[in-house]
Amino acid sequence: MNMGKIFCIMGKSSSGKDTLYKQLLEEEGLQLSRIIPYTTRPLRSGEMEGVEYFFTDEKKLKELEDADQIIELRAYHTIHGVWKYFTVNDGQIDLAQRNYLMIATLEAYTKIRDYFGASLVAPVYIEVEDGLRLQRALDRERQQKEPKYKELCRRFLADSEDFSEEKLAEAGIGQRFLNINLERTRREIADYIDSFLTGGKSDGFKSQ
């Protein structure tokens, strides 16, 4: 029996992950289902429960840990306290029936790959030039009711470490998608996923 696949979209902050994720889910030919992660951080302006994340607290996290339902968990020390992000074996994932798309960090991707097996989990790594990413991040943060510029800077600097070339190499990230033109990038990723599902996946680098 052919098993489904999990595609993990990754990239530094403001690389276009959220937009591409939503567009790829709407691709009828791909028929990808969502995996919604959990977080203990507060909702941001424009977010909804059960869409980007399930927003929860430390008590619920402890219950899930005690039930051995945590697939992967990451904790970040922010200026607002410790925020945790995690993926849960809560019945969302059925690889006997579906293919999935989710947004992940590099650390989350490697843990999910190790949990389900490398043959069932594929990376989709998105790149954007740092100056453009920073401008996008500033524009987005200005739209928040209470902009958190210090946290924005922390995330931006942390990305350099979290997605260093050494860590990308260790995780086996080869294929990359340079997100200069959103529509072109969407088409390239859709073709990549379709090729992966039909057995024609190739390794290497995407360029635009």
Side-chain angles (χ1 to χ4, degrees):
M1 180 179 67
N2 291 330
M3 295 291 287
K5 304 292 190 294
I6 299 173
F7 296 92
C8 294
I9 292 186
M10 294 173 285
K12 297 176 181 177
S13 58
S14 300
S15 59
K17 299 185 299 294
D18 291 336
T19 300
L20 287 163
Y21 169 75
K22 292 173 183 176
Q23 291 182 352
L24 290 164
L25 284 173
E26 294 173 356
E27 288 270 347
E28 293 184 3
L30 297 178
Q31 296 184 328
L32 297 169
S33 298
R34 296 187 301 163
I35 298 173
I36 302 172
Y38 290 65
T39 183
T40 61
R41 76 154 169 79
L43 280 84
R44 292 175 181 158
S45 176
E47 291 181 331
M48 295 179 62
E49 168 69 18
V51 178
E52 290 86 3
Y53 295 96
F54 290 119
F55 294 89
T56 188
D57 56 22
E58 290 288 342
K59 180 181 178 182
K60 179 63 175 178
L61 171 57
K62 181 65 165 56
E63 292 175 358
L64 292 167
E65 287 180 316
D66 290 344
D68 198 27
Q69 289 183 265
I70 302 297
I71 295 174
E72 61 84 24
L73 182 149
R74 291 149 286 122
Y76 299 96
H77 295 267
T78 78
I79 62 172
H80 304 287
V82 178
W83 289 348
K84 296 179 180 178
Y85 297 79
F86 47 103
T87 307
V88 179
N89 184 4
D90 58 359
Q92 290 187 72
I93 304 171
D94 182 2
L95 291 174
Q97 301 293 330
R98 298 175 181 274
N99 298 301
Y100 294 89
L101 183 70
M102 69 180 296
I103 297 174
T105 64
L106 189 62
E107 180 184 357
Y109 158 70
T110 57
K111 290 180 178 179
I112 291 168
R113 179 196 62 193
D114 293 345
Y115 185 92
F116 289 102
S119 65
L120 302 181
V121 182
V124 179
Y125 185 69
I126 302 167
E127 287 189 323
V128 173
E129 186 271 327
D130 281 348
L132 179 56
R133 280 199 310 110
L134 182 57
Q135 186 60 60
R136 289 177 179 177
L138 285 168
D139 291 344
R140 183 175 65 184
E141 199 63 30
R142 287 193 185 102
Q143 297 174 11
Q144 300 294 317
K145 185 177 181 180
E146 295 181 2
K148 296 180 174 63
Y149 295 116
K150 288 183 179 180
E151 174 59 19
L152 180 155
C153 292
R154 185 203 66 80
R155 291 200 310 269
F156 189 86
L157 293 173
D159 279 340
S160 296
E161 173 64 23
D162 293 342
F163 292 98
S164 68
E165 287 299 322
E166 291 78 11
K167 289 184 177 180
L168 290 171
E170 288 175 3
I173 303 298
Q175 186 105 10
R176 305 187 188 199
F177 298 89
L178 183 59
N179 187 19
I180 297 174
N181 180 286
L182 186 65
E183 174 59 23
R184 183 181 298 174
T185 304
R186 181 197 62 77
R187 291 198 306 268
E188 289 186 340
I189 295 174
D191 289 345
Y192 166 76
I193 291 175
D194 182 67
S195 177
F196 196 106
L197 293 175
T198 56
K201 174 183 160 306
S202 61
D203 210 356
F205 290 82
K206 282 285 184 181
S207 60
Q208 292 182 325

